[in-house]
Amino acid sequence: MCLAIPSKIINVNGYNALVDVMGARREVSLMLLPEEAKEGDYVLVHAGFAIQKVDEETAQDSLNLLREIAEKLEAEGY
Amino acid sequence: MKKADAIRGYLERIMQKIGRPVRLMEVCGTHTVSIFRHGIRSLLPEGLELLSGPGCPVCVTSIEDIDRAIKISEQSGAILTTFGDMMRVPGSYRSFYEARAEGADIRFVYSPSDALRLAKKTPERKVVFFGAGFETTSPLVASVIKVALEEGIKNFYVYSVHKLVPPALRALLQDKEVRVDGFILPGHVSTIIGIRPYEFLASEFNRPGVITGFSPDEIIEGVGMLLRQIASGRAEIEIQYKKVVRPEGNPQALKILYEVFSEADSYWRGIGNIPLSGLEPSERYSFVDAKRVFDISVQSKPEPKACSCGEVLRGVKKPTDCPLFGKACTPERPVGACMVSTEGSCSAYYRYGRY
């Protein structure tokens, strides 16, 4: 439940941003972010809120892990 | 296979130095699932045991809170909203899903923001968000409550069952039945709260803790860091998940969290009441508190007697020690809290049941 997914910021609009989460586009809130974020930055997103900035390498590593889990889930018929 | 042998050898060497059995506990549902899914228990040397603690907020939500939320959903004009994971949790008589099938307006949302949006769209209804989750989730709900106040939205309420991780760890260590030598601490909860709230583990209880990421390599590294501390007689709070977690946590999220919520006693399913382990809207925000606004009088049934969830959550019993496990209690028809959510220990044992 406490999983946060790395997402890339497409554009920032005040306290909100449009992000790319594993290929899907979503509007997320930046209200809880302790620092400013801009287009191209990666953030961890939990239930519609960015909670931390991360570097691209960290983001890609976590995304690869999530993809692997998603593929396994699919293979198991979920 | 080579890698597995190398890992086992590495952990075995530290275990030899320690020279006695070691029990480590994780308290995060995402760790539970990752440990099972990647078969990490099969890599452990003899004498090293990994326990799953109360790391799933869905699992520890009390029967009475489910009953009260259902009662709210049956009141005129109410819409109850919650995260999808909560829908199947059994109350005394019904789950949210079952109450919905009988006509209650209960909807699941992806984000608490969706619940606020629904309140704006339907001003004639009373929209209640059933807020479950640890410190990763509660700041989100706090910020939505702040927005509701700022935008003057009067038909949005929150039923908070939010819980705090550190007081639960204290309760475990004060429990004489519980034997844990160190904690694999949650990665994303700690992204918010940082190191400080865990320091009592080391200073008061002499137990090490390592804030750990979620990939198999990160978990192994976290376990190794804990064992090295034990081997050298240290007890400190360290961060393995350094690329994400900062020692101070997320000050912005903490500020909003404690502006909106105050700590209060909270009842954990399977464990009981833990002092100051929950969050309720503070006085200034009491107008959103569904527990004050709605009639929540219910007669709840006690937790099913044969269910060993309490012992499982405290690491005293394994899921397979429970007489109901896999028979009367399965993920499709859960009796106890630990079988309900995919992140519960019983559910993980059942799905990946090699232990």
Side-chain angles (χ1 to χ4, degrees), chain B residues 142-187:
Chain B
S143 85
V144 169
I145 292 174
K146 243 173 94 89
V147 171
L149 176 68
E150 282 161 14
E151 297 188 2
I153 298 161
K154 300 265 193 284
N155 62 324
F156 177 72
Y157 306 89
V158 169
Y159 189 106
S160 170
V161 292
H162 289 298
K163 291 183 167 46
L164 302 168
V165 170
L169 302 183
R170 178 181 288 279
L172 285 172
L173 289 173
Q174 286 169 337
D175 184 333
K176 295 225 160 22
E177 272 188 295
V178 176
R179 290 189 303 109
V180 179
D181 300 298
F183 290 96
I184 301 168
L185 296 170

Side-chain angles (χ1 to χ4, degrees), chain A residues 1 32 46-47 49 51 78, chain B residues 111 137 143 250 252 343 351:
Chain A
M1 181 162 186
L32 297 175
H46 173 60
F49 284 75
I51 59 166
Y78 285 99
Chain B
S111 165
T137 312
S143 85
N250 178 336
Q252 168 74 2
E343 294 189 349
R351 283 177 206 278

Side-chain angles (χ1 to χ4, degrees), chain B residues 161-221:
Chain B
V161 292
H162 289 298
K163 291 183 167 46
L164 302 168
V165 170
L169 302 183
R170 178 181 288 279
L172 285 172
L173 289 173
Q174 286 169 337
D175 184 333
K176 295 225 160 22
E177 272 188 295
V178 176
R179 290 189 303 109
V180 179
D181 300 298
F183 290 96
I184 301 168
L185 296 170
H188 291 142
V189 163
S190 308
T191 303
I192 304 293
I193 68 175
I195 272 191
R196 200 188 48 80
Y198 301 116
E199 273 169 354
F200 74 94
L201 296 173
S203 61
E204 289 180 44
F205 295 93
N206 198 32
R207 300 294 204 290
V210 175
I211 295 168
T212 304
F214 301 100
S215 73
D217 292 351
E218 289 170 325
I219 292 173
I220 296 289
E221 192 185 344

Side-chain angles (χ1 to χ4, degrees), chain B residues 22-25 32 35-36 41-42 44-53 177 179 306-327 329 338-339 344-350 353-355:
Chain B
V22 171
R23 290 156 66 90
L24 304 178
M25 180 181 265
T32 310
I35 286 168
F36 273 99
R41 277 191 169 87
S42 68
L44 303 181
E46 207 167 312
L48 176 58
E49 203 179 338
L50 290 191
L51 309 168
S52 297
E177 272 188 295
R179 290 189 303 109
C307 167
S308 306
C309 208
E311 285 105 322
V312 170
L313 287 172
R314 291 181 294 132
V316 175
K317 268 190 189 175
K318 288 203 173 114
T320 42
D321 298 332
C322 175
L324 304 182
F325 180 81
K327 298 180 191 107
C329 183
C338 319
M339 189 63 96
S345 333
C346 293
S347 165
Y349 263 74
Y350 188 87
R354 288 173 291 250
Y355 298 95

Side-chain angles (χ1 to χ4, degrees), chain B residues 227-268:
Chain B
L227 291 181
R228 282 204 301 269
Q229 283 201 48
I230 295 171
S232 59
R234 284 183 298 135
E236 289 162 24
I237 309 305
E238 297 179 314
I239 306 178
Q240 180 283 322
Y241 200 31
K242 277 206 179 98
K243 40 191 195 183
V244 173
V245 177
R246 295 168 196 176
E248 73 277 15
N250 178 336
Q252 168 74 2
L254 285 172
K255 187 172 150 242
I256 295 180
L257 178 65
Y258 282 103
E259 182 190 325
V260 174
F261 285 111
S262 301
E263 292 174 0
D265 292 358
S266 184
Y267 190 91
W268 295 54

Side-chain angles (χ1 to χ4, degrees), chain B residues 279-327:
Chain B
L279 293 169
E280 301 288 352
S282 58
E283 222 30 64
R284 182 169 171 220
Y285 291 93
S286 60
F287 64 94
V288 298
D289 189 351
K291 293 177 193 169
R292 301 197 197 200
V293 174
F294 293 87
D295 175 11
I296 52 166
S297 53
V298 291
Q299 286 290 330
S300 292
K301 285 201 219 161
E303 287 161 25
K305 264 209 187 96
C307 167
S308 306
C309 208
E311 285 105 322
V312 170
L313 287 172
R314 291 181 294 132
V316 175
K317 268 190 189 175
K318 288 203 173 114
T320 42
D321 298 332
C322 175
L324 304 182
F325 180 81
K327 298 180 191 107

